[in-house]
Amino acid sequence: MEIKSTGVKSSWLKNMIIKRLYFDKAMSCAGLSQLFDKSIPSIAKAINELIKEGFVVEQGYAPSSGGRRPLMYAINANAMFILAVAMDQLSARIQMLDLNNSPIADMATVELKLHNNDEALSQLINQLNKYIAETGVAKDKIAGIGIGMPGFINAIEGINYTYLDAGGESLSKYIERATGITTYIDNDSSLIALAEQKFGIARSQQEVMVINLGWGIGLGMIIDGKIFRGYNGFAGELSHIPLSDDGELCVCGKRGCLEAEASMLVVAKKAEEGIKKGRVTSLQMQDGQSKLIGDALMEAANQGDQFAIELLTEAGYKIGKALAILIHIMNPANIVLSGRGAKVGKILMAPIQQALHKYCIPRLSSGTELLISSLGFDAELIGAAVLVMENFDKEDKVI
């Protein structure tokens, strides 16, 4: 979005104020002054300009704490919008959000298989352009496109080394050219961790491990208040921790990985096999579509279906075994179960705890609390929006 004003310094300060109000909802001039180490007159001038430009609104006075009540300022939720995209191996969810992370248009869910699909990138771009056109939102009102996706991702360069080949160039730049909108990409599990830290159950925590229970099993690590990416950006591959030497073959080419033993996709396939063998269950075959049966399985488990609960219990125990390794290495205060599978978090909790009791040193596991996400399946979409706003002050835009 480009609104002409005066001076690069003023632009940076106003961008920072917009970013801060997005995350903190409401602040006073004094609070912003202290945060940015700028004089109150400088902050007040920037705030007044932002009010005139439609980015900021007065929210009223803060509750009394004994002195003069400060006037609070908040973001205007409809000043800009964010196109958030949450991808997994089988589909993509696309949603236009306002600056309160509330949807302003219906979400589009499209089948988009990433594995062995040379057309996946062009299909994604077509869906993005179609969705933007259908919402009727002008492109200069869209702050950016944030995309969460599986794979080995270099978020700085915008490259996914696993899926969506852009011919060796930056995937984010490729999509940006095709849509005309600034685009950022990141690993889905990292974005889920960001969402939990900024707006979820792990809000403001400095050290937390977030497990993305989806068709795969991901890990986002918050260390010192920031996403920990490791030496070359690929830290957190919990899904490829080997649980056995002779287990199922994983997509990575190795056997016995956690993802090949306990992911929701594996659980769904086991459900299909059980149904074919005549297991007593309320589940029915879904034309061989693991995605449909996986969602149905979680619903059935929450309704008390014993076969569905049995499958999730088996998976939960294996996840707990992997978490024991994570606890021994990272000694986290909290582990959050998030993503698609958070809806069966209460069912998974018992077998996970059972595995921790068996495989983890009590002195370590007793200090770690397991939490179930309140954001759940929405976490990746919110994380995609957070990705855009995390980079908002870094843009060469004038406000």
Side-chain angles (χ1 to χ4, degrees):
M1 183 169 218
E2 187 168 316
I3 298 176
K4 293 185 178 179
S5 183
T6 58
V8 174
K9 184 181 292 186
S10 174
S11 169
W12 174 86
L13 180 58
K14 288 195 286 185
N15 284 354
M16 286 294 294
I17 291 172
I18 290 171
K19 176 179 174 179
R20 198 70 265 144
L21 293 181
Y22 167 79
F23 287 114
D24 291 344
K25 301 305 182 187
M27 294 187 72
S28 66
C29 274
L32 290 165
S33 171
Q34 184 176 12
L35 182 66
F36 298 139
D37 193 24
K38 297 288 182 181
S39 68
I40 289 180
S42 296
I43 295 293
K45 180 177 181 293
I47 285 283
N48 287 332
E49 290 177 4
L50 287 170
I51 290 174
K52 290 178 182 178
E53 293 162 358
F55 288 95
V56 172
V57 295
E58 293 182 357
Q59 198 181 56
Y61 291 94
S64 176
S65 58
R68 182 178 178 181
R69 295 190 300 163
L71 183 59
M72 305 297 287
Y73 298 95
I75 200 77
N76 176 5
N78 293 314
M80 296 183 298
F81 304 102
I82 303 168
L83 188 58
V85 183
M87 302 182 69
D88 57 34
Q89 292 93 331
L90 303 176
S91 62
R93 290 172 291 147
I94 307 171
Q95 182 125 66
M96 193 75 75
L97 303 174
D98 66 17
L99 294 181
N100 285 334
N101 293 329
S102 297
I104 65 159
D106 291 339
M107 180 172 65
T109 301
V110 296
E111 182 177 325
L112 207 165
K113 294 181 180 179
L114 296 180
H115 190 59
N116 293 329
N117 181 7
D118 294 335
E119 302 300 318
L121 180 54
S122 61
Q123 290 169 356
L124 173 63
I125 289 169
N126 288 339
Q127 291 294 336
L128 292 176
N129 283 326
K130 177 184 175 184
Y131 184 85
I132 293 167
E134 289 177 349
T135 62
V137 175
K139 290 185 178 181
D140 64 357
K141 288 276 286 183
I142 300 175
I145 300 175
I147 308 178
M149 58 182 68
F152 292 111
I153 294 174
N154 182 326
I156 296 174
E157 299 295 332
I159 298 174
N160 188 335
Y161 293 101
T162 311
Y163 302 114
L164 299 169
D165 180 24
E169 67 174 301
S170 168
L171 176 59
S172 56
K173 294 298 182 184
Y174 189 96
I175 296 173
E176 183 174 328
R177 285 199 307 272
T179 61
I181 301 170
T182 302
T183 301
Y184 305 95
I185 69 168
D186 206 339
N187 177 266
D188 51 354
S189 298
S190 293
L191 292 190
I192 287 173
L194 268 179
E196 296 293 352
Q197 188 208 26
K198 299 298 184 182
F199 296 107
I201 198 167
R203 183 165 185 137
S204 301
Q205 290 189 21
Q206 298 297 297
E207 317 282 339
V208 62
M209 304 289 109
V210 180
I211 309 301
N212 173 18
L213 299 173
W215 300 126
I217 299 174
L219 169 65
M221 298 189 287
I222 303 290
I223 298 177
D224 289 334
K226 300 177 181 178
I227 290 289
F228 178 75
R229 301 185 185 277
Y231 171 67
N232 58 0
F234 305 142
E237 283 298 324
L238 181 74
S239 58
H240 298 292
I241 284 181
L243 296 184
S244 64
D245 292 330
D246 56 356
E248 295 294 326
L249 183 66
C250 182
V251 292
C252 74
K254 304 191 183 299
R255 290 192 176 274
C257 293
L258 173 64
E259 183 164 311
E261 299 285 335
S263 69
M264 290 306 302
L265 200 57
V266 169
V267 173
K269 289 179 179 177
K270 288 182 177 180
E272 292 176 4
E273 294 169 1
I275 294 169
K276 290 177 181 177
K277 292 178 181 178
R279 287 296 303 264
V280 176
T281 177
S282 62
L283 291 169
Q284 297 179 352
M285 288 297 293
Q286 301 284 344
D287 299 323
Q289 296 187 40
S290 297
K291 179 178 183 294
L292 294 177
I293 199 169
D295 287 332
L297 182 141
M298 287 189 283
E299 292 293 341
N302 283 329
Q303 295 299 318
D305 186 287
Q306 292 303 298
F307 179 50
I309 292 172
E310 176 186 318
L311 291 174
L312 289 172
T313 298
E314 179 185 352
Y317 187 81
K318 293 177 179 178
I319 292 169
K321 189 175 181 180
L323 293 187
I325 298 171
L326 180 65
I327 290 171
H328 284 155
I329 296 171
M330 300 303 299
N331 186 28
N334 297 287
I335 295 177
V336 178
L337 304 182
S338 187
R340 179 188 292 268
K343 66 165 62 176
V344 289
K346 291 182 179 180
I347 294 172
L348 293 171
M349 193 72 81
I352 287 175
Q353 290 284 15
Q354 183 182 4
L356 292 181
H357 286 311
K358 182 174 182 179
Y359 295 108
C360 204
I361 296 172
R363 186 176 294 277
L364 286 171
S365 61
S366 63
T368 299
E369 184 178 5
L370 285 178
L371 304 171
I372 300 173
S373 169
S374 58
L375 300 178
F377 198 29
D378 291 334
E380 189 179 347
L381 282 169
I382 294 172
V386 169
L387 178 63
V388 172
M389 295 309 293
E390 279 275 282
N391 287 280
F392 189 73
D393 60 311
K394 300 172 186 176
E395 281 301 291
D396 294 327
K397 58 169 69 85
V398 179
I399 290 183

